[in-house]
Amino acid sequence: MSAVSQTTRTGVMLRVSAALLVLVAFAPDGLAQSPLNSVANADRRVRELFYSGRCDEALIELSALRRAQDSAPMALIEGQCRIRARDYTGALAALDDAARLDPDLDDVQLYRGIALYQLEDLGSARQALALARGHTTEQASAQLELYTGLLQLQDNEPRLAAESLDRARVIDAGQVEPIASFYAGLAWQSTGERELARESLLRVKAADPDGPWGKRAEELLAGRSLEDRSWASILAGLEYDTNVVLLGSSVPVPQGISDQADGRGMWYLEGGAELFHKSQWSGGVAGTYAGNAQFELSQFDIQFPRANTWLDYEFDPEHILRFRYGIGYAWVDYSDFLFNQDGSITLYKNWGAAGNTEIGTAWIWNDYKFPIAQVPNGTGGPGSSCVTAVPEPCAPPGVNSQQARNRDGNAVNPFIQHHYRVPGINQDWLRDVDLRAGFAYQRYFAHGADWDFNSYDFLVGLKALLVWDLHLDTNFGYSYRPFLSGSSYPKPTVDNNLVYALSPFPRVDNILLFGINIEKPITEHVSVSTRYIYTSEDSTVQVFNYNRNVIGGYVKYKF
């Protein structure tokens, strides 16, 4: 090829290249770059806007980009931006898309949980946060702990909540403060850890001195807010009781009572307030009022109001000493039945992950107001005829049943109980498992020999959160109760007008108690529940040998 032709070819190529550059420069976007490059540039632009905090602009870009392609990361960014804009419904829709496109994408379930929490779908929020474990980036882990703690507060698990909220603060205070410390303060306050609560609220005050969080913390620190130091609730429901009379097996139904089983309405009011908290001392008052109205057996209607006062001394956050005194008065069918006083000294010890222990002793004083009938005495031995105007059995000669059956007296009652939260259980159908076990001894000193006894009481129980936010609480108790003397009540049942026999051995009772309660929160203040209680008293004295079943349904309102 000649030099002239080579030069000509080179010039043509240069002119064509220049023309192409001009065409590309002034062409529409569709000609200027391929669709793939256009999407990539838009994707990069959205990320730049998001990470620079310009979510409003990012959402505008996302509107077109999300129509052009299905992208799990872009759907995640949209969800996060909509959470920042408090559009929780839109956020959940975008995050659901992200989860559908890439179920294993980090942070998707975390932000789904946040959106669901803000939409007050707490059950679904718990499930999403549980799925987020192991699929959350390090940068977002503080948010996971924050919302886990907030849900634990909703579930009335203050210790777990406080620990989660403190972890959130340690991971990244910039993301979660002052919210994490404020709610941690409330949670620690609920557990009685007042020093930890104070530390948390002081952090809030320092982080937000002139803002709403700081002002609220200042109110709590100054003790001007009563809502976290007082409580009140009312429980009402219907029950069916198979043995209202506590009638012993093979014992005749008392005269004037058609049946031993009945239904009833019942109510239980509870309230109290901490009146002061100064340095290591605090104290307050509380009261309860229990009552029922039988459908048929109205002679067993009960009214029982009680009042209590307490005084706490905190050695440190792990040790609290409590002094308590209570007084109550009961009526049965509007007749005086019982005047009762009791007091206790209890030491509470927090062992951290190992749980907490209560150990103490109580004093009980009972003054029964109902009259005790004197059973007439026969003149002969068991089985001989009675000489009485009313057809009834009579006691052996020399037995003063009125004196022997006097239940008035005092008791001393040392006790110990331990609570332990089982770690590592976090299933959809079972979580927040709390075990408890205890032992108590009681020595009752009665005015009448029939009621002098020792009692050895064992208790185990379990609390847990089940599927559908059902709160389970179960108890199993066993008491071995040897009495110090024989009983003035007959050993076997006897016919009217005959002298009955007494057991030559001291009375012994073996008492079993089982209870299960399932409660479902409906709103922040309202819950419904059902419970079943079984009692079996196996006694060597037939009149006290009985079984009882109680089942009921209830509504509770917390003020």
Side-chain angles (χ1 to χ4, degrees):
M1 181 177 297
S2 67
V4 173
S5 58
Q6 177 69 33
T7 301
T8 302
R9 181 183 293 269
T10 301
V12 170
M13 292 178 67
L14 289 172
R15 286 193 295 273
V16 170
S17 297
L20 286 173
L21 289 173
V22 171
L23 176 63
V24 168
F26 291 97
D29 287 346
L31 296 175
Q33 55 189 356
S34 70
L36 183 61
N37 286 337
S38 176
V39 169
N41 288 337
D43 184 299
R44 185 172 60 254
R45 174 67 176 164
V46 166
R47 292 177 188 273
E48 290 173 356
L49 292 170
F50 172 69
Y51 289 116
S52 64
R54 297 154 65 187
C55 263
D56 290 345
E57 297 175 58
L59 285 172
I60 295 172
E61 298 277 350
L62 278 165
S63 178
L65 182 57
R66 295 261 283 127
R67 287 197 300 269
Q69 69 163 359
D70 280 334
S71 167
M74 289 297 104
L76 173 59
I77 288 176
E78 181 181 346
Q80 291 174 266
C81 280
R82 292 195 182 279
I83 285 174
R84 293 181 189 179
R86 300 186 180 181
D87 175 13
Y88 302 115
T89 302
L92 184 59
L95 293 163
D96 284 345
D97 282 347
R100 172 180 56 82
L101 294 167
D102 186 354
D104 296 323
L105 181 63
D106 284 348
D107 295 343
V108 170
Q109 293 299 337
L110 165 62
Y111 288 105
R112 284 190 72 250
I114 293 173
L116 288 162
Y117 177 89
Q118 298 293 349
L119 291 169
E120 299 186 359
D121 186 352
L122 302 186
S124 298
R126 290 186 193 94
Q127 294 174 3
L129 293 184
L131 292 172
R133 295 283 173 185
H135 295 281
T136 300
T137 59
E138 184 178 351
Q139 294 87 346
S141 57
Q143 294 282 340
L144 177 59
E145 295 298 341
L146 172 67
Y147 279 90
T148 298
L150 294 175
L151 282 169
Q152 287 165 336
L153 269 180
Q154 293 279 351
D155 293 335
N156 196 27
E157 301 290 350
R159 181 169 297 280
L160 287 178
E163 292 169 354
S164 297
L165 293 162
D166 279 348
R167 280 195 300 271
R169 172 180 57 82
V170 170
I171 292 169
D172 191 342
Q175 283 194 55
V176 300
E177 289 288 61
I179 298 172
S181 283
F182 179 81
Y183 285 107
L186 296 184
W188 286 125
Q189 191 176 58
S190 295
T191 67
E193 307 278 4
R194 298 188 183 278
E195 191 57 38
L196 291 176
R198 178 176 174 81
E199 290 174 5
S200 298
L201 294 173
L202 285 173
R203 283 196 300 271
V204 176
K205 189 177 175 183
D208 189 35
D210 299 318
W213 295 104
K215 290 178 181 177
R216 183 79 174 105
E218 188 175 3
E219 289 178 359
L220 292 171
L221 287 165
R224 292 197 295 267
S225 174
L226 289 175
E227 65 181 14
D228 298 313
R229 301 186 292 125
S230 60
W231 69 95
S233 66
I234 179 169
L235 176 77
L238 297 174
E239 295 180 333
Y240 178 74
D241 188 339
T242 62
N243 196 350
V244 177
V245 188
L246 300 184
L247 191 67
S249 58
S250 303
V251 176
V253 176
Q255 188 175 5
I257 297 175
S258 58
D259 191 8
Q260 68 188 73
D262 198 7
R264 58 175 171 254
M266 64 79 61
W267 54 90
Y268 184 80
L269 284 71
E270 181 180 22
E274 184 182 85
L275 300 181
F276 72 94
H277 179 214
K278 185 174 182 180
S279 184
Q280 293 171 283
W281 291 94
S282 62
V285 295
T288 61
Y289 172 41
N292 64 43
Q294 304 289 152
F295 294 165
E296 300 291 339
L297 303 175
S298 60
Q299 58 268 58
F300 294 96
D301 290 353
I302 298 172
Q303 317 292 322
F304 191 17
R306 281 186 54 81
N308 294 279
T309 184
W310 80 88
L311 179 67
D312 287 352
Y313 179 77
E314 298 181 30
F315 295 97
D316 52 53
E318 285 74 39
H319 300 84
I320 298 176
L321 186 65
R322 170 166 292 180
F323 304 88
R324 187 193 61 81
Y325 169 74
I327 187 169
Y329 204 95
W331 293 265
V332 175
D333 193 23
Y334 300 101
S335 297
D336 295 339
F337 182 78
L338 171 66
F339 177 39
N340 165 266
Q341 298 180 75
D342 63 276
S344 62
I345 302 175
T346 307
L347 177 65
Y348 297 86
K349 164 65 177 176
N350 177 22
W351 304 93
N356 56 81
T357 302
E358 305 169 29
I359 184 169
T361 188
W363 159 79
I364 303 166
W365 177 84
N366 292 322
D367 178 14
Y368 289 91
K369 299 296 185 178
F370 58 86
I372 303 171
Q374 174 67 54
V375 178
N377 296 96
T379 56
S384 61
S385 297
C386 299
V387 182
T388 58
V390 179
E392 61 179 344
C394 54
V399 174
N400 187 336
S401 54
Q402 188 175 50
Q403 178 180 329
R405 298 176 185 180
N406 187 343
R407 298 177 65 176
D408 296 350
N410 292 268
V412 290
N413 184 200
F415 57 88
I416 184 171
Q417 183 167 269
H418 185 76
H419 294 256
Y420 174 68
R421 179 167 300 280
V422 182
I425 300 179
N426 189 22
Q427 306 297 320
D428 290 342
W429 61 275
L430 180 67
R431 58 188 183 278
D432 299 343
V433 178
D434 184 279
L435 300 177
R436 60 187 178 277
F439 170 75
Y441 166 75
Q442 184 178 143
R443 173 66 171 94
Y444 192 74
F445 301 90
H447 293 181
D450 271 16
W451 292 101
D452 266 336
F453 63 80
N454 295 292
S455 188
Y456 305 88
D457 307 319
F458 302 86
L459 169 72
V460 294
L462 178 149
K463 293 178 71 174
L465 194 62
L466 307 180
V467 67
W468 305 319
D469 298 325
L470 298 175
H471 295 251
L472 171 70
D473 192 356
T474 63
N475 285 293
F476 177 78
Y478 167 70
S479 296
Y480 172 66
R481 187 169 293 176
F483 289 73
L484 273 65
S485 64
S487 175
S488 65
Y489 288 93
K491 179 184 178 183
T493 56
V494 293
D495 296 328
N496 289 332
N497 298 318
L498 293 180
V499 177
Y500 58 74
L502 301 179
S503 172
F505 304 106
R507 172 185 164 190
V508 176
D509 289 359
N510 289 277
I511 305 168
L512 292 176
L513 176 68
F514 171 74
I516 180 169
N517 187 84
I518 298 176
E519 184 175 4
K520 167 66 176 177
I522 304 300
T523 69
E524 182 183 356
H525 298 286
V526 179
S527 63
V528 296
S529 61
T530 184
R531 75 179 175 194
Y532 168 73
I533 301 173
Y534 170 74
T535 308
S536 172
E537 182 162 351
D538 179 17
S539 177
T540 55
V541 176
Q542 200 161 12
V543 70
F544 300 108
N545 195 77
Y546 70 87
N547 292 317
R548 184 188 197 188
N549 296 272
V550 178
I551 187 168
Y554 314 89
V555 177
K556 184 177 184 179
Y557 184 84
K558 293 190 294 184
F559 294 90

